[in-house]
């Protein structure tokens, strides 16, 4: 039923390497790297929602922290953009701790509500603190500089090619970490509390702390995904913190199958590529997108990938 | 000295006194059963002892320490474990994984090691797996180890829950109707298992409706009715107590007398 860790990583790596053969133009490297950036945030949701069963509707807030760290830290702290991304990740983990700690002791969907509020707060701050963030017009992000280093070594890549390869690599690392976690003591504790909090508690799992750890890890994923987006776009606007972006991240994970890394990445692919395909419907594009998602969730409630695998195996689940 | 001492424990839900002023104590290796009609407060009593409900009055001492109202995961660290009347199984996980979660306190380590898949993390998992397989052997489920827990029969799930509770090497084990819904063969297996565990020195607190089983294996019986203790003592004493026969045993009295001999 489940692919092993090695098989999952192999499939993913093969897809990343082979896909460019079929690209009709350089533009698709750009689409591909966007897909990987989205997928990275979605893999974080797999840990939080798929493993631990908690829902966050504010992950765009963490993506924004990662993105704006890359814009602001090089200017104000005079650090390299890569260090800025790490600062963003640490900051996201700290903020996740502060937001999550009081909330995750409570049962129910408090985290969803609190994180939604957190995301909106971040986007308001970004839009209004014009002196620091540049406001709604956004702010410039410095060049990462890695492409020039590679060129010195004789590896000449276009900007789009570089970001395709780099984001793909980061996604592979992120998937590897998430897959390690799945079959580890921490992963088992998270999956256990997902199914029965009471049973997890009676065998000694500190449920509040375990949820907090999952929330912090997934916040770091979102933060790194935001950093990657900022560094490749070279410009970042408060839109990244918008709550539609948060919902999008969760929808991608749930659509593909939130229980598995590969399923979630599949969902991210569909939702990144579908709008490109649906442009033929012009003004009805959004309607078609909504329709496809509704039908998918009605007929394949466990997510696309698990349902398709089930159908192929003739179990018809 | 007693391992578990419950004194004057009580809780009410609104106007209803679900449990009132219940006390008893148990020593290592002892099997104590709590019996009484449905709604007498047996599971509520269990929930208070295991930290799921906060008692309104009274105290629970475990190994001399006051653990009243302590969170279940802290009680687990002090060696108190339990099973549930209405099964709390991790359905989507494998049978083996269910028991491995039971080893959480032994297998847990730094999260960063788990993320990076360091050898220390893999070794902890591996050790937990070995021990979990041995426990599954003990409850007769080792051949189902790789199956999804949700696919098991009711009786098998009951045994799986006991295996998971045993994983944390409890000093005190609370079993809430371990034989409910099991056939005669399964009941006998659970019966043997409980006796073995007690022989290993685990204090076992049992809620069970199968009176033959209760009378056969208990050292001590506490009888509840409408949330209050109406009798306690060894099986022979309790089964002759007129209040107990009136409140609960009634029609079962004949077979109980037979079981006690």
């Amino acid at each position: 039923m489940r692919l092993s860790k090695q098989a999952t990583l192999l499939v993913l790596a093969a897809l990343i390497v082979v896909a460019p053969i079929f690209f009709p133009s350089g533009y698709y490297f750009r689409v591909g790297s966007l897909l990987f950036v989205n997928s990275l945030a979605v893999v974080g949701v797999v840990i939080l929602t798929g493993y631990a069963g908690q829902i966050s509707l504010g992950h765009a807030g963490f993506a924004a922290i990662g993105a704006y760290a890359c814009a602001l830290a090089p200017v104000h702290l005079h650090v390299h953009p890569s260090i800025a991304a790490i600062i963003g990740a640490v900051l996201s983990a700290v903020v996740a701790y502060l937001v999550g700690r009081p909330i995750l002791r409570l049962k129910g969907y408090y985290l969803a509500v609190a994180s939604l509020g957190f995301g909106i707060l971040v986007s308001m701050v970004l839009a209004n603190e014009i002196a620091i963030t540049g406001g709604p017009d956004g702010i410039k992000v410095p060049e990462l500089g890695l492409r020039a280093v590679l060129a010195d070594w004789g590896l000449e890549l276009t900007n789009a090619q570089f970001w395709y390869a780099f984001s793909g690599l980061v996604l592979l690392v992120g998937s590897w970490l998430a897959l390690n976690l799945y079959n580890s003591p921490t992963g088992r504790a998270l999956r256990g509390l997902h199914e029965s909090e009471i049973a997890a508690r009676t065998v000694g799992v500190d449920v509040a702390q375990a949820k907090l750890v999952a929330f912090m890890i997934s916040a770091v994923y979102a933060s790194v995904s935001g950093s990657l987006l900022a560094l490749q776009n070279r410009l970042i606007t408060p839109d990244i913190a918008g709550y539609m972006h948060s919902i999008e991240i969760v929808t991608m994970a749930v659509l593909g199958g939130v229980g598995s890394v590969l399923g979630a990445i599949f969902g991210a692919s569909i939702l990144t590529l579908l709008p490109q395909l649906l442009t033929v419907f012009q003004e009805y594009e959004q309607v078609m997108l909504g329709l496809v998602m509704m039908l998918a969730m009605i007929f394949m409630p466990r997510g696309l990938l698990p349902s398709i695998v089930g159908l192929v195996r003739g179990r018809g689940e | 000295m007693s391992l578990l001492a419950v004194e004057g424990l009580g809780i009410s839900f609104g106007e209803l006194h679900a449990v009132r002023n219940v006390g008893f104590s148990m020593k290592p290796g002892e099997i104590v059963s709590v019996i009484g009609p449905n709604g007498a407060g047996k599971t509520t009593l269990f929930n208070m002892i295991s930290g799921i409900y906060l008692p309104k009055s009274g105290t629970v001492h475990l190994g001399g320490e006051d653990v009243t109202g302590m969170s279940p995961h802290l009680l687990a660290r002090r060696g108190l474990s339990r099973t549930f009347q209405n099964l709390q199984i991790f359905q989507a996980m494998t049978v083996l994984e269910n028991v491995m979660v039971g080893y959480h306190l032994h297998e847990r380590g730094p999260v960063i090691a788990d993320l990076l898949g360091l050898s220390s993390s893999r070794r902890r998992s591996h050790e937990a797996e070995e021990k979990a397989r041995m426990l599954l052997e003990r409850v007769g489920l080792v051949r189902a180890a790789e199956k999804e827990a949700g696919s098991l029969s009711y009786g098998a799930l009951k045994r799986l829950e006991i295996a998971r509770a045993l994983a944390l090497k409890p000093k005190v084990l609370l079993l809430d109707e371990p034989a409910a819904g099991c056939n005669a063969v399964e009941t006998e297996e659970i019966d043997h298992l409980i006796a073995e565990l007690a022989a290993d020195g685990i204090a076992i607190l049992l809620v069970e409706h199968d009176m033959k089983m209760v009378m056969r294996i208990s050292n001590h019986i506490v009888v509840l009715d409408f949330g209050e203790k109406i009798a306690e003592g060894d099986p022979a004493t309790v089964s002759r107590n007129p209040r107990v026969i009136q409140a609960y045993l009634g029609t079962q009295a004949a077979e109980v007398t037979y079981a006690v001999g």
Side-chain angles (χ1 to χ4, degrees):
Chain A
M1 172 69 208
R2 283 190 78 84
L3 284 180
S4 73
K5 179 173 88 180
Q6 287 77 6
T8 304
L9 290 173
L10 216 61
V11 168
L12 201 55
L15 287 174
I16 293 172
V17 171
V18 171
I21 297 171
F22 303 99
F23 287 173
S25 74
Y27 169 71
Y28 286 86
F29 282 103
R30 164 90 182 132
V31 176
S33 72
L34 268 183
L35 163 57
F36 299 154
V37 165
N38 284 335
S39 297
L40 188 66
V42 169
V43 171
V45 171
V46 168
I47 293 173
L48 181 68
T49 309
Y51 296 1
Q54 307 301 304
I55 293 171
S56 163
L57 297 177
H59 261 46
F62 298 115
I65 291 176
Y68 277 83
C70 286
L72 299 175
V75 176
H76 297 281
L77 303 174
H78 311 291
V79 295
H80 189 266
S82 59
I83 304 294
I86 293 169
I87 293 174
V90 172
L91 190 61
S92 290
V94 171
V95 172
Y97 177 85
L98 295 175
V99 173
R101 201 182 140 74
I103 295 302
L104 287 168
R105 303 202 160 274
L106 307 169
K107 274 189 162 182
Y109 296 106
Y110 294 98
L111 180 66
V113 178
S115 59
L116 181 65
F118 157 74
I120 291 170
L121 190 75
V122 171
S123 85
M124 278 170 63
V125 169
L126 293 175
N128 292 316
E129 291 297 320
I130 297 172
I132 303 169
T133 65
D137 294 336
I139 190 169
K140 278 206 180 113
V141 181
E143 164 72 40
L144 180 62
L146 187 56
R147 192 161 72 95
V149 175
L150 291 178
D152 285 345
W153 292 348
L155 187 62
E156 293 277 0
L157 295 172
T158 68
N159 194 44
Q161 283 171 339
F162 168 76
W163 282 108
Y164 178 87
F166 190 66
S167 310
L169 195 65
V170 176
L171 175 60
L172 273 176
V173 173
S175 303
W176 174 68
L177 295 173
L179 292 164
N180 282 339
L181 194 67
Y182 185 86
N183 271 325
S184 74
T186 305
R188 273 187 293 277
L190 292 176
R191 290 186 287 138
L193 75 87
H194 183 175
E195 297 204 52
S196 170
E197 271 193 32
I198 200 104
R201 290 169 74 197
T202 54
V203 291
V205 177
D206 185 342
V207 164
Q209 196 198 324
K211 288 181 191 169
L212 190 57
V213 164
F215 187 53
M216 288 166 70
I217 294 173
S218 71
V220 169
Y221 273 84
S223 177
V224 173
S225 123
S227 294
L228 285 175
L229 188 70
L231 289 168
Q232 62 177 289
N233 285 356
R234 302 289 311 278
L235 176 82
I236 197 73
T237 68
D239 284 347
I240 191 176
Y243 87 100
M244 274 312 291
H245 185 210
S246 290
I247 306 250
E248 199 178 55
I249 295 171
V250 176
T251 311
M252 284 174 175
V254 174
L255 182 70
V258 73
S260 79
V261 167
L262 217 49
I265 293 176
F266 186 62
S269 312
I270 299 277
L271 277 197
T272 311
L273 299 178
L274 209 54
Q276 317 269 344
L277 300 175
L278 293 179
T279 45
V280 293
F281 293 102
Q282 294 175 0
E283 60 261 50
Y284 297 108
E285 185 196 324
Q286 294 288 326
V287 178
M288 291 304 293
L289 193 59
L291 191 65
V292 169
M293 277 165 51
M294 258 173 55
L295 291 176
M297 288 337 298
I298 290 168
F299 292 107
M300 299 178 170
R302 290 189 306 150
L304 290 176
L305 198 60
S307 303
I308 292 170
V309 171
L311 280 176
V312 170
R313 297 195 170 196
R315 288 165 38 171
E317 286 175 277
Chain B
M1 198 190 73
S2 58
L3 182 55
L4 182 76
V6 176
E7 267 175 68
L9 215 55
I11 192 171
S12 46
F13 303 114
E15 292 295 298
L16 175 78
H17 289 277
V19 172
R20 198 199 310 229
N21 197 25
V22 171
F24 61 90
S25 70
M26 39 197 311
K27 292 193 273 291
E30 206 175 16
I31 302 176
V32 175
S33 293
V34 181
I35 63 171
N38 283 324
K42 305 184 295 290
T43 296
T44 306
L45 178 66
F46 261 40
N47 284 343
M48 283 192 285
I49 296 171
S50 59
I52 291 164
Y53 293 161
L54 186 66
K56 198 178 145 205
S57 59
T59 58
V60 180
H61 282 81
L62 180 61
E65 185 190 3
D66 186 352
V67 296
T68 317
M70 192 178 270
S71 186
H73 76 270
L74 296 175
L75 287 169
R77 284 180 206 178
R78 286 161 175 77
L80 185 137
S81 182
R82 69 168 289 179
T83 66
F84 298 86
Q85 184 187 350
N86 54 344
L87 292 173
Q88 294 285 338
I89 291 287
F90 308 133
Q91 304 273 357
M93 297 170 79
T94 67
V95 169
L96 184 66
E97 284 178 325
N98 266 270
V99 182
M100 286 171 78
V101 178
Y103 278 108
H104 180 73
L105 290 173
H106 303 276
E107 71 159 358
R108 72 195 164 134
V111 177
I112 195 80
D114 287 355
L115 270 170
L116 294 172
L118 298 184
S119 61
S120 68
S121 163
R122 292 202 304 267
R123 194 183 59 242
R124 283 185 273 116
S125 288
H126 186 70
E127 283 170 9
E129 185 181 333
E130 301 257 293
K131 289 184 201 154
R133 281 188 196 280
M134 272 154 59
L135 265 184
L136 285 175
E137 186 93 54
R138 187 164 188 185
V139 299
L141 285 174
V142 77
R143 284 201 297 186
E146 319 298 338
K147 278 193 191 163
E148 209 167 87
S151 69
L152 261 54
S153 72
Y154 190 79
L157 289 176
K158 282 278 179 191
R159 280 179 286 152
L160 176 58
E161 251 200 357
I162 295 176
R164 187 180 64 194
L166 286 176
L168 61 91
K169 297 195 183 72
K171 293 188 204 119
V172 179
L173 180 60
L174 280 58
L175 299 173
D176 198 347
E177 300 198 21
C182 294
N183 62 36
V185 179
E186 288 170 333
T187 304
E188 198 168 326
E189 282 169 4
I190 287 175
D191 195 331
H192 285 306
L193 183 62
I194 293 172
E196 270 175 40
L197 297 174
D200 289 348
I202 302 176
I204 292 173
L205 186 62
L206 182 70
V207 165
E208 184 50 62
H209 280 294
D210 184 336
M211 275 310 121
K212 274 192 271 183
M213 176 175 168
V214 167
M215 294 297 164
R216 197 162 54 227
I217 67 175
S218 307
N219 302 110
H220 191 85
I221 296 176
V222 175
V223 189
L224 295 186
D225 192 22
F226 292 111
E228 290 187 66
K229 184 168 78 179
I230 57 168
E232 71 175 313
D234 61 56
T237 317
V238 164
S239 59
R240 272 189 239 106
N241 183 315
R243 274 192 79 185
V244 178
I245 293 170
Q246 192 201 358
Y248 182 48
L249 294 178
T251 53
Q252 294 192 40
E255 77 182 271
V256 167
T257 317
Y258 172 77
V260 174

